[in-house]
């Protein structure tokens, strides 16, 4: 570890949460460094003691990344505050956190890790990391609909409340009511809202790939550690 690390990076390196979430913890006064309440500019010296809500944390040495097939009906948080979370699928003793979200009505691939820095890099929207989905709609799919989806759709960014046009994406028709879509953004319920703009109702949404990681061969509720080759390729893509 460097001799001096910013507090949000230190918390992220512990696998506790992302840097953005760490900033919120600091702002709420829940973080101390060597017994002193931390501020946004606080740096941790080598050997320093960092606590969150009075519990000491340390950077993770054995970093792990897992693929997880989230079933329908579960929120992508570890918490059950908004419904049943995914914590029940994580074996006891494994401190893993979800990278990104997948809405309750959707299923498919999520990444879980104890590597907060990797989490930050994957969540960085500027990176343009691909996510691939299979979508089943109530209405019959037309080539015109897919072409308009690819060009970008005007939706509201839930984080800012502003109208934005989604980034260009790729689509491919699979059957009368099913298509494949690859996007590089991760806006809240993005694909459902994109389809809704054109009057299409999504009946089933399955995420099958994030970057080089695929859900192929996995069953709902299954969790598996990524192989060394897959992890190396993933880090190289970042």
């Amino acid at each position: 570890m460097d001799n001096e690390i910013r507090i949000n990076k230190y918390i992220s390196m512990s696998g506790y949460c992302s840097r953005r979430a760490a900033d919120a913890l600091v702002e709420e006064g829940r973080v101390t460094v060597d017994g002193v309440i931390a501020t946004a500019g606080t740096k941790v010296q080598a050997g320093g003691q960092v606590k969150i809500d009075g519990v000491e944390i340390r950077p993770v040495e054995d970093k792990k990344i897992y693929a997880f097939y989230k079933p329908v009906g579960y929120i992508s948080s570890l918490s059950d505050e908004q419904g049943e979370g995914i914590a029940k699928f994580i074996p006891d003793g494994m401190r893993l956190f979800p990278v990104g979200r997948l809405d309750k009505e959707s299923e498919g691939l999520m990444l879980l890790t104890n590597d907060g820095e990797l989490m930050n890099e994957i969540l960085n929207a500027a990176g343009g990391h691909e996510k691939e989905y299979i979508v089943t709609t109530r209405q019959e799919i037309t080539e015109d609909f897919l072409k308009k989806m690819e060009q970008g759709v005007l939706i509201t960014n839930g984080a800012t409340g502003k109208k934005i046009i989604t980034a260009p994406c790729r689509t491919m028709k699979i059957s009368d009511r099913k298509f494949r879509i690859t996007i590089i953004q991760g806006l809240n319920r993005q694909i459902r809202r994109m389809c809704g703009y054109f009057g299409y109702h999504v009946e089933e949404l399955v995420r099958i790939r994030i970057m080089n990681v695929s859900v192929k061969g996995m069953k709902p509720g299954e969790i598996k550690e990524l192989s060394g080759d897959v992890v190396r390729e993933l880090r190289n893509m970042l």
Side-chain angles (χ1 to χ4, degrees), residues 99-127:
V99 182
R101 297 173 297 181
L102 194 56
D103 66 69
K104 185 175 181 179
E105 298 83 8
S106 301
E107 63 183 286
L109 180 64
M110 293 185 66
L111 297 180
L112 305 176
T113 185
N114 60 3
D115 185 347
E117 288 303 286
L118 178 72
M119 187 189 309
N120 287 317
E121 293 180 33
I122 294 176
L123 292 177
N124 179 11

Side-chain angles (χ1 to χ4, degrees), residues 4-220:
E4 211 175 50
I5 298 179
R6 288 183 65 90
I7 184 59
N8 60 352
K9 182 176 181 179
Y10 185 97
I11 294 173
S12 175
M13 289 171 63
S14 76
Y16 190 91
C17 62
S18 68
R19 290 195 195 185
R20 182 180 299 178
D23 287 335
L25 292 173
V26 171
E27 187 175 337
E28 293 166 5
R30 297 168 57 187
V31 182
T32 62
V33 177
D34 296 328
V36 179
I37 295 177
T39 63
T42 298
K43 293 186 177 181
V44 183
Q45 304 290 333
Q49 184 185 65
V50 176
K51 292 184 178 181
I52 299 176
D53 297 331
V55 179
E56 186 175 2
I57 62 170
R58 294 182 179 275
V60 172
E61 299 296 335
D62 186 20
K63 297 177 181 178
K64 302 285 188 180
I65 310 170
Y66 292 80
F68 169 62
Y69 191 127
K70 187 191 85 67
V72 172
Y74 293 86
I75 62 172
S76 53
S77 168
L78 298 177
S79 161
D80 290 348
E81 292 176 1
Q82 300 171 345
E84 191 161 18
I86 61 173
K88 64 177 293 181
F89 298 100
I90 300 176
D92 292 341
M94 293 176 63
R95 186 175 181 179
L96 300 173
F97 299 90
V99 182
R101 297 173 297 181
L102 194 56
D103 66 69
K104 185 175 181 179
E105 298 83 8
S106 301
E107 63 183 286
L109 180 64
M110 293 185 66
L111 297 180
L112 305 176
T113 185
N114 60 3
D115 185 347
E117 288 303 286
L118 178 72
M119 187 189 309
N120 287 317
E121 293 180 33
I122 294 176
L123 292 177
N124 179 11
H129 309 315
E130 287 190 349
K131 293 174 283 290
E132 186 175 350
Y133 302 77
I134 300 295
V135 186
T136 304
T137 61
R138 182 177 298 168
Q139 296 79 11
E140 185 171 336
I141 294 161
T142 66
E143 292 300 330
D144 181 63
F145 162 67
L146 294 182
K147 183 177 180 180
K148 289 177 178 177
M149 289 279 282
E150 290 183 344
Q151 293 173 344
V153 180
L154 183 67
I155 64 174
T156 301
N157 184 337
T160 64
K162 296 181 179 179
K163 294 285 187 179
I164 65 168
I165 296 177
T166 59
C169 62
R170 300 197 309 273
T171 66
M172 184 182 75
K173 185 174 180 179
I174 297 174
S175 64
D176 288 346
R177 297 190 301 111
K178 185 173 294 188
F179 70 98
R180 184 189 307 267
I181 181 169
T182 303
I183 63 176
I184 59 172
Q185 292 170 300
L187 302 175
N188 185 35
R189 301 177 68 85
Q190 178 176 337
I191 295 173
R192 293 180 184 274
R193 289 192 290 153
M194 289 173 69
C195 290
Y197 183 87
F198 298 108
Y200 278 73
H201 176 79
V202 173
E203 293 193 333
E204 185 178 75
L205 183 63
V206 184
R207 184 157 64 197
I208 61 172
R209 179 175 65 87
I210 299 174
M211 301 171 70
N212 67 317
V213 184
S214 170
V215 77
K216 185 177 180 180
M218 296 182 67
K219 299 177 182 179

